[in-house]
């Protein structure tokens, strides 16, 4: 066995995972429905088959925490329009490239001659802008609270250095408003939440306390490795069994109650809260972030006048229902029929984190 | 004093590839004499005929072709030239052939530094020598700036098929063992982490290697009981296993705990959110062998450097025909699918 | 969302006025911005997302969680020899 990866392999220990599973089985005296908000957690659950191993008393539903999935069609169509422009180098995280717009994705724009580049960090996009002063570099700034500090720093730094050929197409969303939408839905079945560990690394978990109180649900901050996930599920079950609607932290090595204050400060300097469209779900008031007035010149949508581009989603796609945990992916009539990873109707079938893609990939043949 | 006007002579010494290098004239000749002949020369090529006239051993002949495009051209552990020789040698070897002769066709982009071309050709010569094959015919074309990405290489290969072996992707039988000759993902991650713009540094080295001696040795050991072989290049081990399962209409079960991955490859895969099973290899082979002969084959593989980490990763089953299923570290099962397209770094 | 991987800080540098660092992840190295973890020391582990270090990993907390969970196992409430669920039973 090679040297273990520190802070990863300890939390992938199959023995420990098995014990956790047994303990969950022992603690759960009745059926509970728990939602993992975060797409990264969905990915890990499905990839490791944790949902297959859980006792029948526990149902996991997959939440809307995948930025690739919830980025609205409108933003995507604007991205496609920008990426096709002669003067633009369009930069994006890798998995936005396959997300379908109405008729095209970013790969197709690239094959038609658009300069579309994958970056690992928003600062890489900024470097491309420094290196190409004659070009306009647009970065597709998608993400939840975890990615907001990175996206904010790129804009902040562009302003500080006066890099005026850089701009961002912002589709920045936040978890707590989405949780409220899910919990307020008349069809809601979710009784407890695993809160997204890396979102909480930035934001802390104090903001979940009022949600837990208001809706009477336990919320447990959880990491991403199998043992972390099972520890989070176990804690949620314990709280549910005890009837406690409180917030607990099972990801102490990465998450503190207050979060990362340095990151929050830059995010607040650059962005302000606004209303946001979520793909499949619709408009959620005060659920997103947009550039503040001082940074408005870095807004690609106004800079290139693409705000007039609007788009409508496929009526066949039920991704919104899936994202809110009201339906399992294979409950959708289009699942694995009109909608496959090769021909996705909605983004949940595209992103490797998307609940539908994860289901398609790991599940539907066996179950 | 009279001044005799002299017409300026054309420049004959260039540092980069010119359109004229592909035009069949003096510069084409100079490219042959300066770059190709000194490195690749052999009895066939030295004749400078338009074709190589070969005597093939009796029996059936295997014939294959592949075109190589890779960015960057030079990567840790190899370059496009080495890849072009080893890849075609391996395509012959996994079919049970002894590779003998290769052709090499070059498409060069105007402006390619000649020193780079020379390095690539030297590597091809060295790779051919190591694999025991000869490059017996070739061709060079030059295209304008922007019409190709610096250099594309096509190699075709001819080999003689061994007697008494019957290797086919349709030969898998329930009960067969699946052997993987070593760690997964080395080549693909070496390429990805050496690309500019992803702010990576790694010492990941491509596994690019010719496997014909190793494959020859296992076929000598078990000519009848090895049912199929494939080199898991593009699409990685996942794609290869799916192709095998589909062609033979059998299921394949593999065990996650047995899949060998080098530590730094694993680190890079974790960072980029990429499954090592989907990443390309250029010096690995998947061997499907009758279960009771798996131990012998494994021993032979491990006696060769490219096979030192060889392991049994799973077996062929009668259930779920056409599908590859992996038993995870936790005892659950997941489908190993064909990757959809190019591997993209995930961030979210 | 939010793939974030633990890695160890190898060295620091200032680039374009920003605190940056080289992070080792199991032998592969990546560059990350350290502006949000100004107190990080070389040798410490941090979580990296989108080229940014977001949190210094709390070593004591990590050990504490593992100890707590391990104790759960060693409390002897379960039979440790029981087989993993077999694929056939799924």
């Amino acid at each position: 066995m090679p040297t273990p990866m520190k802070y990863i392999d300890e939390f992938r220990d199959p023995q420990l995972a098995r014990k956790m599973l047994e303990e969950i089985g022992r603690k759960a005296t009745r059926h509970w429905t728990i939602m993992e908000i975060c797409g990264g957690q969905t990915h890990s659950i499905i990839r490791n088959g944790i949902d297959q191993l859980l006792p029948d008393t526990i149902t996991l539903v997959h939440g809307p925490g995948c930025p690739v999935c919830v980025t609205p069609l409108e933003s995507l169509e604007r991205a496609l329009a920008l990426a096709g422009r002669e003067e633009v180098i369009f930069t994006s995280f890798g998995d936005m490239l396959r997300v379908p717009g109405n008729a095209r994705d970013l790969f197709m724009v690239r094959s038609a001659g658009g300069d579309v580049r994958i970056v690992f960090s928003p600062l890489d996009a900024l470097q491309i802008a420094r290196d190409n002063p004659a070009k306009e570099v647009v970065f597709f700034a998608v993400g939840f609270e975890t990615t907001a500090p990175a996206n904010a720093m790129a804009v902040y730094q562009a302003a500080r250095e006066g890099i005026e050929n850089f701009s961002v197409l912002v589709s920045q969303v936040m978890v707590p408003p989405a949780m409220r939408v899910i919990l307020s839905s008349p069809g809601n079945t979710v009784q407890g939440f695993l809160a997204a560990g890396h979102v909480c690394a930035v934001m802390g978990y104090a903001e979940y306390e009022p949600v837990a109180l208001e809706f009477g649900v336990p919320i447990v901050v959880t990491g991403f490795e199998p043992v972390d996930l099972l520890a989070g599920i176990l804690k949620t079950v314990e709280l549910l069994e005890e009837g406690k609607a409180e917030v607990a932290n099972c990801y102490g090595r990465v998450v503190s109650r207050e979060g990362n204050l340095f990151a929050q400060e830059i995010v607040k300097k650059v962005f302000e809260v606004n209303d946001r469209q979520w793909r499949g779900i619709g408009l959620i008031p005060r659920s997103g972030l947009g550039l503040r007035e001082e940074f408005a010149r870095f807004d690609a949508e106004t800079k290139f006048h693409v705000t007039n581009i609007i788009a409508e989603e496929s009526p066949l796609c039920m991704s919104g229902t899936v994202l809110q945990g009201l339906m399992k992916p294979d409950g959708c009539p289009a699942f694995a029929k009109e909608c496959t990873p090769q021909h996705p109707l909605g983004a949940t079938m595209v992103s490797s984190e998307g609940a539908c893609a994860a289901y398609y990939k790991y599940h539907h043949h066996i179950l | 004093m009279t001044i005799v006007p002299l017409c300026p002579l054309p420049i004959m010494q260039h540092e980069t590839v010119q359109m004229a290098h592909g035009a069949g004239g003096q510069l084409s000749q100079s490219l042959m004499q300066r770059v190709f002949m000194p490195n690749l020369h052999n009895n066939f090529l030295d004749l400078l005929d338009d074709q190589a006239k070969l005597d093939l051993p009796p029996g059936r002949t295997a014939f294959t072709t592949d075109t190589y495009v890779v960015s960057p051209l030079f990567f840790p552990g190899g370059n496009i030239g080495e890849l072009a020789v080893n890849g075609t040698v391996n395509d012959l070897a996994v079919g049970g052939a002894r590779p003998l002769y290769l052709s090499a066709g070059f498409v060069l982009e105007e402006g390619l530094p000649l020193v780079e071309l020379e390095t690539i050709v030297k590597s091809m010569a060295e790779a051919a020598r190591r694999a025991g094959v000869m490059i017996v015919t070739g061709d060079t074309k030059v295209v304008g700036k922007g019409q190709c990405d610096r250099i594309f290489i096509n190699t075709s290969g001819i080999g003689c098929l061994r007697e008494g072996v019957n290797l086919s992707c349709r030969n898998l039988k329930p009960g067969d063992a699946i052997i993987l000759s070593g760690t997964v993902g080395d080549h693909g991650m070496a390429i990805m982490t050496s690309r500019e713009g992803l702010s990576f540094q790694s010492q990941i080295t491509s596994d690019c290697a010719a496997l014909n001696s190793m494959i020859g040795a296992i076929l000598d050991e078990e000519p009848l009981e090895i049912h199929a072989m494939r080199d898991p290049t593009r699409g990685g081990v996942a794609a290869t296993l799916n192709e095998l399962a589909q062609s033979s209409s059998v299921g394949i079960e593999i065990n996650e705990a047995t899949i060998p991955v080098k530590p730094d490859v694993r680190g890079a895969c974790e960072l980029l959110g990429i499954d090592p099973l989907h990443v390309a290899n250029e010096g690995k082979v998947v061997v499907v062998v009758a279960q009771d002969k798996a131990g012998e084959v494994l021993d032979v593989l491990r006696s060769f450097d490219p096979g030192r980490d060889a392991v049994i990763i799973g077996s062929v089953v009668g259930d779920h025909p056409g599908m590859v299923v992996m038993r995870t570290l936790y005892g659950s099962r997941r489908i190993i699918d064909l990757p959809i397209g190019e591997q993209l770094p995930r961030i979210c | 969302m939010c793939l974030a991987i633990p890695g160890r800080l190898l060295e620091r540098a200032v680039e374009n006025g920003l605190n940056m660092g080289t992070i080792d992840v199991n032998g592969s190295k990546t560059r990350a911005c350290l502006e949000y973890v100004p107190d990080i020391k070389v040798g410490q582990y941090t979580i990296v997302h989108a080229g940014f270090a977001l949190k210094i990993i709390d070593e004591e907390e990590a050990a504490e969680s593992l100890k707590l969970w391990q104790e759960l196992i060693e409390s002897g409430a379960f039979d440790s020899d029981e087989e993993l669920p077999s694929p056939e039973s799924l």
Side-chain angles (χ1 to χ4, degrees), chain B residues 80-124:
Chain B
I80 187 171
E82 216 175 316
L83 203 60
V85 171
N86 291 338
T88 294
V89 164
N90 292 345
D91 281 348
L92 290 169
V94 293
R98 291 190 180 88
L100 296 170
Y101 305 112
L102 261 52
S103 71
F106 297 84
V107 178
L108 308 178
E109 185 188 21
E110 172 182 35
L112 175 77
L114 279 173
V115 49
E116 288 191 10
L117 178 63
E118 204 171 345
T119 309
I120 289 165
V121 172
K122 275 188 201 298
S123 306
M124 292 179 80

Side-chain angles (χ1 to χ4, degrees), chain B residues 11-36 106-115 117 139-144:
Chain B
I11 297 169
M12 290 299 290
Q13 289 295 330
H14 293 275
E15 288 186 351
T16 58
V17 169
Q18 308 292 305
M19 288 303 283
H21 279 126
Q26 287 190 29
L27 275 184
S28 296
Q29 269 201 6
S30 97
L31 194 65
M32 277 301 286
Q33 282 155 11
R34 244 186 80 190
V35 179
F36 290 110
F106 297 84
V107 178
L108 308 178
E109 185 188 21
E110 172 182 35
L112 175 77
L114 279 173
V115 49
L117 178 63
D139 175 57
T140 306
K141 294 284 185 294
V142 178
V143 296

Side-chain angles (χ1 to χ4, degrees), chain A residues 140-159:
Chain A
F140 202 173
V142 302
F144 277 80
E145 292 95 323
T146 320
T147 321
N151 293 343
M153 182 60 84
V155 174
Y156 189 74
Q157 184 68 8

